[in-house]
Amino acid sequence: MAVLPLICVVSSVLGAPQAAAPQSAAPPSGATAPDVFPRAPVSEEPPAAVQDPGVIDIEGMVVVGPRRGAAALAPEMELDATEIDNLGAYDIGEALGRLSQSLGFDETPAIIVNGRRVVNARDFLRFPTDALVRVEVLPQQAASLYGEAPTRRVLNIVLQPRFTSRDGFVRASAPTQGGNSSLSLDARQSEIVESDTRQFGVQLTRDTSLRADERPDYLRDHPESAGVTLRPATDAVNANFSMTKAFGDWSSSLSGDARVQRDRFTSRAGTETVETRRSVDSLGLSGGVTGDAAGWSVQVGLSGAISDAEQEGIANSRSRNLSMGADVKANRPLIELPAGLVITTLAARYGRSRVTRDAADARSTQSLDLRGNLAVPLFKAASPGEDGGLSLGDLSLTLGVTADGFYDDAGRGDGVNVGLAWAPVRKLRFNGLWSRSTDNPSSSQRFDPVYFGPPRVVFDFQTGESVEVLPILGGNPDLRGQTLERFSLSASAGPFTSWGVRGRVGFQRNRSTDGIGPVPDLTPAVEAAFPELFIREPGGRLVNIDQRPINLGSTLSETLTSGLNFSVPFGGGRRRSGAPSLQFGINHTWQLASTAILHPGLPELDRLAGDGGGAPRQQVNVQVDGRRGNWGLNASARWQSASRIRRDIGVDGPNDIERSAFAAIDLKISYLLERAAQAAQDGARPRRDGGVRIELQIDNLFDARPEATRGDGRPVPGYGRDDQDPLGRTVRLSLSRRF
């Protein structure tokens, strides 16, 4: 990672003692303090709209000191308060989700807070977005430094040193075709006082069912489905709390979450309709401490959860799941090389769970996962003004090993990974990663309760007709461990120009043996390989598909990704509070190869050509976020290329399914009704006040639906207007207010 220059103006030179950089505030409780990682210098001046505690403006001259909450590595990208607000999110979790989508992340990123690990990052995701000072997107090698899997990206969220709010939220939504409605209520209280935080919240949701009778086109194509539910009715109540508190050099955290959910749907059973009811009650608690011990930065966390699930109707079942876990992470510098510190990170997790089904079938499992990482700086770029001769830039190496095992019949696993990160010049970065691991299935993948989901429509090649089936969902106790080999190369550059242009391109190659994944789409080849997963009546009618995770013989995928992010400046110069702003994110995914062998000895399936269900070759996602005064705009567009589902392996035919290219746009417009006294203060718009925020969101703006034809152009059953997406365009109206 390129070493960013540090602008340093000491107070003695200015002749102004008050210009000295202030001390960084303490980290939030739940974060290690102090961290053993070296702090990266920061080169870019924060926008005027967000005065970072480490930045002081004295008569037009900017003094930059140590930045509060800086991470161990200088970020590849940083979002200030204006860019965070542009995301139009209600809380931090929603904002980070939209940011991850804009940046094209493949996995959910790991979260650190104020530059340090925390016991439970979810404790901080329910805070309002204006509790954030900035978000730092760290380079790829940060995952190993913070004890995460090498494929995950790391986001550092920096919180306000003091913050308090009481927020309420209500949302109503319905499809423009009618027949279904949804209502959500949310109330939460949040507080940050330096290193202590508290957050409480309650959420209620109610979704009415969508029946086949309310979709005339669907009922015309499926007259036997009168009274059947296309979308279930759901009622849910969720309550949560979290608190963190510092005790000297150590800090503690405690959080809990309780949820009650009830689902109802109606399905066909022979010539009759049957109502199925499912209830899930769950309670989870977690806590831990962080601090320094014997030269190590240590984090210890404990968690426990209990859930009861019951289903009555098409099939009766009852299950209870008890689980507990313990996590330990520790890191410290080992030696100092000319290029920097060699840092080791160790992590361990112990888990134990017990699942009881129908009060008779009980299964217990326990596991221990170990991870070790070593970050070695090989070369260091010369600092500004330093004559370092020929420089190779920044080059670092990360090495990691893993070991995990279930103490039952699932076996044991291990893995190794190697990563290189090189920044030959500032604003240009290259990353390479290779990993190979044998991983056990998770307890959830094996022992989640088995239940029936609501009906869905599939095309049955065997009969040439579309049919309504009930999917079987939950865990699969017969899963075996999988072997995964990953290789990736990526390059990123930027920011450039006043638009802050950032670009990236990457190549990924993934190969698996006994890979754990979902059941492929129904084709004759897939049914022949897994006949036990497709359940038919004596007459041959398909009634159930077992969609629980399975092991596939082997898979191979090669993907080329690219992305571009930039912001359009308005007014020039430094960003002013309340000035218009607009930011764009564009991501393109190109599948170069996607093959699978369902069982050893069976032919290879080329999914891009249409074997085994088919897959689109290209996908594009565009995201636009902006704000002008009290108005906000958030839009997303997604497109995927046409694809084919072959009836017979290796050959196109007239009975294949040709799925058309698909595109959809989501749009949200918001307006903030500010209180006049606050809005007029200094002529600047505050980030959030006590006014009401109104949001109008339209999902699938142009009511696009998946379409397909047979290989010879004939209509194909199962792709009517409401078969694959009975909701279509949905309108959501939201009101939120700070009290």
Side-chain angles (χ1 to χ4, degrees):
M1 181 69 194
V3 175
L4 304 178
L6 174 64
I7 302 173
C8 183
V9 182
V10 296
S11 59
S12 58
V13 174
L14 296 174
Q18 66 272 24
Q23 294 294 320
S24 296
S29 185
T32 57
D35 204 316
V36 299
F37 291 152
R39 292 297 174 202
V42 178
S43 65
E44 296 185 13
E45 172 188 324
V50 189
Q51 278 296 340
D52 194 292
V55 180
I56 305 177
D57 195 341
I58 304 177
E59 297 180 354
M61 182 173 292
V62 177
V63 180
V64 181
R67 297 189 76 188
R68 175 181 175 274
L73 297 174
E76 283 189 4
M77 176 181 176
E78 182 178 309
L79 272 71
D80 61 28
T82 298
E83 293 166 317
I84 293 169
D85 291 344
N86 284 350
L87 297 174
Y90 177 60
D91 57 24
I92 293 177
E94 183 182 346
L96 298 187
R98 188 159 180 85
L99 173 62
S100 300
Q101 182 182 22
S102 176
L103 298 178
F105 289 165
D106 294 328
E107 298 182 60
T108 302
I111 307 299
I112 61 174
V113 180
N114 286 2
R116 294 167 170 86
R117 294 190 307 262
V118 293
V119 174
N120 190 350
R122 289 176 299 177
D123 294 347
F124 301 89
L125 300 186
R126 295 187 175 103
F127 282 89
T129 54
D130 52 321
L132 283 173
V133 174
R134 66 182 187 274
V135 177
E136 297 177 350
V137 182
L138 302 187
Q140 186 77 52
Q141 63 267 34
S144 296
L145 288 177
Y146 288 102
E148 300 293 339
T151 55
R152 295 185 74 184
R153 297 302 299 266
V154 178
L155 300 180
N156 177 32
I157 61 174
V158 182
L159 302 175
Q160 303 278 5
R162 288 183 176 271
F163 178 86
T164 182
S165 71
R166 292 184 178 90
D167 297 276
F169 176 88
V170 57
R171 169 179 291 166
S173 65
T176 54
Q177 282 184 265
N180 167 259
S181 64
S182 177
L183 181 65
S184 302
L185 302 173
D186 182 284
R188 62 186 69 181
Q189 177 173 322
S190 310
E191 184 178 4
I192 303 173
V193 181
E194 297 296 345
S195 56
D196 298 340
T197 69
R198 287 185 290 273
Q199 202 276 334
F200 305 90
V202 177
Q203 301 83 37
L204 297 88
T205 60
R206 181 178 179 84
D207 297 331
T208 64
S209 63
L210 175 64
R211 302 187 307 276
D213 311 64
E214 296 168 315
R215 291 291 181 266
D217 291 341
Y218 184 93
L219 199 58
R220 181 195 62 219
D221 297 336
H222 307 276
E224 72 284 357
S225 297
V228 167
T229 301
L230 304 182
R231 290 291 185 271
T234 300
D235 296 305
V237 179
N238 192 88
N240 59 271
F241 78 92
S242 66
M243 57 185 65
T244 61
K245 188 172 182 59
F247 296 94
D249 293 335
W250 286 76
S251 57
S252 63
S253 70
L254 178 66
S255 61
D257 194 292
R259 183 174 179 84
V260 175
Q261 180 170 324
R262 302 290 183 264
D263 299 325
R264 303 179 306 280
F265 67 88
T266 302
S267 59
R268 281 207 309 158
T271 59
E272 299 180 354
T273 58
V274 177
E275 183 181 64
T276 298
R277 295 176 175 266
R278 185 168 187 261
S279 64
V280 180
D281 302 330
S282 61
L283 174 66
L285 292 172
S286 65
V289 295
T290 57
D292 292 337
W296 290 83
S297 178
V298 180
Q299 171 187 318
V300 179
L302 299 173
S303 62
I306 180 172
S307 66
D308 288 312
E310 184 175 357
Q311 180 171 275
E312 297 178 346
I314 193 71
N316 297 333
S317 64
R318 180 175 297 178
S319 64
R320 166 168 287 192
N321 192 329
L322 296 170
S323 63
M324 61 83 63
D327 290 273
V328 178
K329 291 183 181 179
N331 60 271
R332 66 168 297 167
L334 295 181
I335 58 174
E336 185 171 6
L337 301 178
L341 292 173
V342 177
I343 297 174
T344 183
T345 303
L346 304 176
R349 173 174 174 78
Y350 172 78
R352 183 182 179 90
S353 64
R354 178 180 176 84
V355 178
T356 304
R357 296 176 178 173
D358 299 323
D361 180 17
R363 292 174 178 263
S364 297
T365 182
Q366 54 182 335
S367 63
L368 178 64
D369 303 326
L370 305 174
R371 186 186 304 274
N373 293 294
L374 195 67
V376 183
L378 302 179
F379 296 99
K380 181 181 180 181
S383 300
E386 179 182 59
D387 184 10
L390 179 64
S391 175
L392 296 177
D394 280 343
L395 180 64
S396 63
L397 170 71
T398 58
L399 302 171
V401 294
T402 60
D404 62 278
F406 276 83
Y407 299 110
D408 57 13
D409 57 351
R412 300 179 182 273
D414 53 51
V416 61
N417 61 80
V418 180
L420 276 175
W422 179 39
V425 295
R426 186 186 172 200
K427 298 185 179 181
L428 180 61
R429 299 164 292 275
F430 297 92
N431 288 279
L433 173 68
W434 174 86
S435 67
R436 190 179 191 279
S437 62
T438 300
D439 302 326
N440 288 313
S442 67
S443 176
S444 174
Q445 289 174 322
R446 298 184 70 198
F447 300 126
D448 268 1
V450 179
Y451 64 98
F452 286 97
R456 58 180 291 254
V457 174
V458 299
F459 177 75
D460 186 358
F461 280 98
Q462 188 175 117
T463 62
E465 298 176 347
S466 65
V467 61
E468 232 176 34
V469 299
L470 286 180
I472 301 173
L473 307 174
N476 179 1
D478 298 324
L479 283 177
R480 304 182 301 275
Q482 61 181 350
T483 300
L484 302 174
E485 184 174 345
R486 301 182 178 95
F487 172 74
S488 67
L489 287 174
S490 63
S492 61
F496 301 109
T497 77
S498 61
W499 288 36
V501 178
R502 298 173 173 86
R504 59 193 175 277
V505 62
F507 170 80
Q508 299 88 34
R509 188 176 194 269
N510 298 323
R511 182 188 294 273
S512 72
T513 302
D514 278 340
I516 299 173
V519 179
D521 290 342
L522 172 61
T523 67
V526 172
E527 186 171 3
F530 301 102
E532 70 280 3
L533 303 182
F534 302 91
I535 303 169
R536 297 180 179 273
E537 292 177 336
R541 180 181 178 273
L542 185 67
V543 292
N544 299 115
I545 297 180
D546 190 340
Q547 293 186 327
R548 295 176 296 168
I550 61 171
N551 290 102
L552 297 175
S554 64
T555 62
L556 170 67
S557 68
E558 294 180 348
T559 308
L560 185 66
T561 59
S562 58
L564 187 69
N565 292 81
F566 59 93
S567 300
V568 179
F570 293 92
R574 295 174 63 189
R575 181 156 42 222
R576 295 177 292 104
S577 176
S581 58
L582 196 65
Q583 54 210 52
F584 292 82
I586 305 172
N587 295 287
H588 176 251
T589 301
W590 185 3
Q591 286 279 355
L592 304 177
S594 180
T595 62
I597 298 177
L598 302 180
H599 283 308
L602 294 180
E604 182 179 79
L605 305 181
D606 184 349
R607 299 192 66 235
L608 295 179
D611 297 334
R617 188 175 292 274
Q618 299 191 61
Q619 298 183 62
V620 177
N621 292 279
V622 180
Q623 184 171 304
V624 181
D625 300 293
R627 188 164 297 278
R628 179 184 177 89
N630 292 357
W631 290 93
L633 170 70
N634 303 97
S636 300
R638 56 192 183 278
W639 172 87
Q640 67 180 32
S641 60
S643 60
R644 190 182 192 94
I645 303 178
R646 284 173 168 170
R647 186 189 188 283
D648 302 311
I649 297 175
V651 59
D652 294 344
N655 292 318
D656 296 347
I657 297 177
E658 291 187 353
R659 293 187 291 201
S660 303
F662 179 81
I665 296 176
D666 301 332
L667 177 67
K668 181 171 72 174
I669 299 174
S670 61
Y671 184 77
L672 178 62
L673 299 171
E674 295 177 314
R675 291 185 296 185
Q678 289 191 349
Q681 182 181 0
D682 300 327
R685 180 183 68 84
R687 289 185 64 184
R688 188 75 169 93
D689 72 353
V692 175
R693 184 188 299 274
I694 304 173
E695 296 178 353
L696 176 64
Q697 180 175 338
I698 305 176
D699 294 340
N700 196 356
L701 179 64
F702 297 107
D703 203 14
R705 309 296 179 95
E707 297 179 351
T709 62
R710 300 299 288 267
D712 56 6
R714 290 174 296 154
V716 56
Y719 283 85
R721 174 175 172 79
D722 299 315
D723 283 339
Q724 302 297 318
D725 178 12
L727 287 179
R729 178 172 51 223
T730 302
V731 177
R732 308 178 191 276
L733 181 63
S734 305
L735 301 175
S736 60
R737 189 180 191 278
R738 177 154 296 167
F739 298 92

